[in-house]
Amino acid sequence: MRIISIFFMAFGLSVSFAQNKQVIYGLDEVPQSLLLNPGTLVPQKSHFGIPFLSQVHFNGGASGVSTFEIFGNSNVDINTRIREKIFEMSDKDFFTATQQLQVIDFGWRSQKDIYFSGGMYQELDFITYFPRDLAILAWEGNRDYLGYEFDRGQLSATGDLLTVYHFGANKRISKKWTAGVRAKIYSSILSVKSTNNRGSFVTRLGDVNSPNIYEHLVQNADVKVQTSGIKSLENTTAGKVVSRAFLGGNLGVGVDLGATYEIDDRWRASASLLDLGAIFHSKDVEQYHATGDYTLDGIELIFPPLSEGEATLPYYDNLEDEIERELPVDTINSGYTQLRPLKVNASVKYSFGKYLGGVECDCLDKGGIQRIQAVGFQFYSILRPKGPQMAATLFYYHKLYKFLAAKATYTVDPYSYTNFGLGVAADIGKFNVYLAGDNIFHYGNIAKSKSVSLQFGLNIKIDPE
Amino acid sequence: MKKNLLLPLTVVFSMLLVCSCVKDVDFDQAQNITLTPVVELDLIYFNLDAGDFFDTISNTQRLTVRDTTEIRFLDDTGVQESLKRAEFLFNFTNTINREFQVEFQFINEMNQETYYTSTTVSAGNVGNPVATQFIENVEGPEILELTMADRVVVSVTVETIDETVAGELNLQSKTTYYLEIKDRS
């Protein structure tokens, strides 16, 4: 139970972004907005992220339940609340945890006016869908569900710990277009995946031909768990695990693409495609695959005539052997390819208000003509095992001073319809600091939020003279 | 105007982030989380012929037939801790014109009996099966005795029989396990 409480604390307390970083996207004052759109407008001449501090981001979220709904002070028994939630949630609900730490991040503008950027970050990404039927089976048992087919296919989870090495280029290719591309090498440290499972379990009353009262049936079972980097964990040293972070693990390649189109001095559109790639797991791989059908009727006693002291038949062993034969779990060591969760960002922005600096000019010469206020719409999607998860955001941007910009967001996503976010980015001398969070109205009591977020970073940024 | 509003808002927001907290929750409640599944599971079944009680080679009665099976999960530590009640249902169908005494001896690894129950099965007739239902409810201190066992010895005894007696004694059975799973650390 302690594990359960830690689980809920982790999901409820983590101050973080869900995968969607809607506040930072398009906030060009933050150098790390390049990681969300390699084709964004880059105003600075160069930047260097403070190692381990240029972007720190933890994530936690549960689409169907908040910590408060389970652990809030209440006269209702906690078990009643959990039971109600189990039945309220669907197998489309999910729990996620994502964490990113930028280890190194840098960028500079070349003489050919290309902004090169690169770096390395570590990422933890975990999602599990809520296996509603299995939760009901565990919570209630099968007595009240005779004839009901518990769906094992609801079991769907992935977990990855990896490092990403990246290098990208960004260029304003015309008056209206800015485009960028980023190449990525993934070095997987640990990976677990169990998706696209099938099968059901049902207990039903036996008919006249059944040998016993019930029939317990496992039907069309096809359950697969793919792991890499896990098998050797018991017999490996911390040093070896760490070495996987430095290209010593299973490697993969990917690409980020992005572009910004300045329609006129007020309208701007942008889009990006992130993590279009795959990891090729070949080392330290272990896959488990269970398939088959089986009907359990209990144990048949045949009362064999025995001499004194002679042992009877090993009924229980035979039953176990039969189950293993009919529902074999194959262990496979062959490699497999895992697609990265593809993310899509898109936005339309309308600028208004006074010009930055008070006059109409392309003052920075890199980011078009800037007005001090803007509103817009953003779309975000991430490809998950059971299909894409999407979010829509309305935002308001205001450049308060030349050194200080703020962005407010309202987001509708699988977690809630009341997600308000706010971010500020400041250039203090050569230091660039930013802080962003969503679900800000829940900060008074994070427990009531289904996902809360905080993201911050510190860079050294050199602007054009 | 907006500038005037946004700056204090920014400060308040930053303060919120710094001062954000979790209120009105009690994680100690996790200690009270209890899963109470009720599990229906087939147990044993058999089909004894009247001839099984008479050895035609030696022309002698086998008044008691006996068989044993392991129920390995029964003395599992998790089951010992979590099982609060077990209700056995035995459905006998008898077409043998004899009454039977059926005993269930639950024994542990040391072959010591930890729990015992028995019932009498009514006599039937070929063509006129007679059903006998026997329910054994085990709870309280007895559940500890039951979960010390890892096998059950089933003995079926008839008072007298001869080779002319025909028919079958059939048993179907299941157990309803009432579990209470919680953190006991």
Side-chain angles (χ1 to χ4, degrees), chain B residues 60-169:
Chain B
T60 52
Q61 301 176 103
R62 281 174 73 205
L63 295 179
T64 297
V65 296
R66 187 175 285 124
D67 207 352
T68 306
T69 179
E70 285 184 285
I71 308 176
R72 219 173 281 159
F73 61 83
L74 202 56
D75 70 342
D76 178 83
T77 315
V79 173
Q80 284 177 341
E81 285 179 349
S82 306
L83 189 62
K84 295 297 145 195
R85 180 183 157 203
E87 189 181 271
F88 295 95
L89 170 68
F90 299 97
N91 284 339
F92 295 93
T93 308
N94 191 5
T95 57
I96 303 172
N97 187 18
R98 291 289 185 279
E99 202 173 71
F100 291 91
Q101 186 71 23
V102 182
E103 296 170 274
F104 301 94
Q105 262 182 296
F106 289 85
I107 58 175
N108 66 14
E109 280 181 344
M110 313 294 289
N111 288 327
Q112 294 159 332
E113 181 182 296
T114 65
Y115 188 80
Y116 171 87
T117 186
S118 68
T119 189
T120 303
V121 178
S122 305
N125 269 307
V126 175
N128 181 28
V130 170
T132 302
Q133 189 171 75
F134 172 55
I135 295 171
E136 175 76 357
N137 185 45
V138 189
E139 59 188 319
E142 288 182 330
I143 206 80
L144 292 174
E145 296 163 8
L146 181 73
T147 55
M148 297 295 280
D150 71 342
R151 73 196 78 170
V152 59
V153 181
V154 182
S155 307
V156 185
T157 303
V158 63
E159 260 185 33
T160 178
I161 201 160
D162 61 58
E163 60 186 314
T164 63
V165 177
E168 285 184 342
L169 172 64

Side-chain angles (χ1 to χ4, degrees), chain A residues 4-65:
Chain A
I4 294 175
S5 70
I6 289 167
F7 182 74
F8 272 97
M9 284 177 79
F11 283 109
L13 290 179
S14 53
V15 277
S16 65
F17 256 59
Q19 281 272 350
N20 188 6
K21 298 175 185 168
Q22 69 272 43
V23 187
I24 300 295
Y25 183 86
L27 190 62
D28 301 331
E29 286 79 359
V30 175
Q32 280 71 34
S33 68
L34 251 179
L35 290 169
L36 301 177
N37 180 2
T40 196
L41 303 184
V42 183
Q44 72 268 12
K45 191 176 160 194
S46 65
H47 80 272
F48 186 77
I50 305 296
F52 297 98
L53 286 177
S54 61
Q55 190 175 74
V56 181
H57 147 208
F58 300 91
N59 147 8
S63 65
V65 61

Side-chain angles (χ1 to χ4, degrees), chain A residues 393-407:
Chain A
T393 298
L394 295 172
F395 70 87
Y396 170 69
Y397 164 89
H398 196 133
K399 186 99 177 171
L400 298 165
Y401 302 101
K402 201 176 174 187
F403 70 95
L404 186 66
K407 182 178 172 185

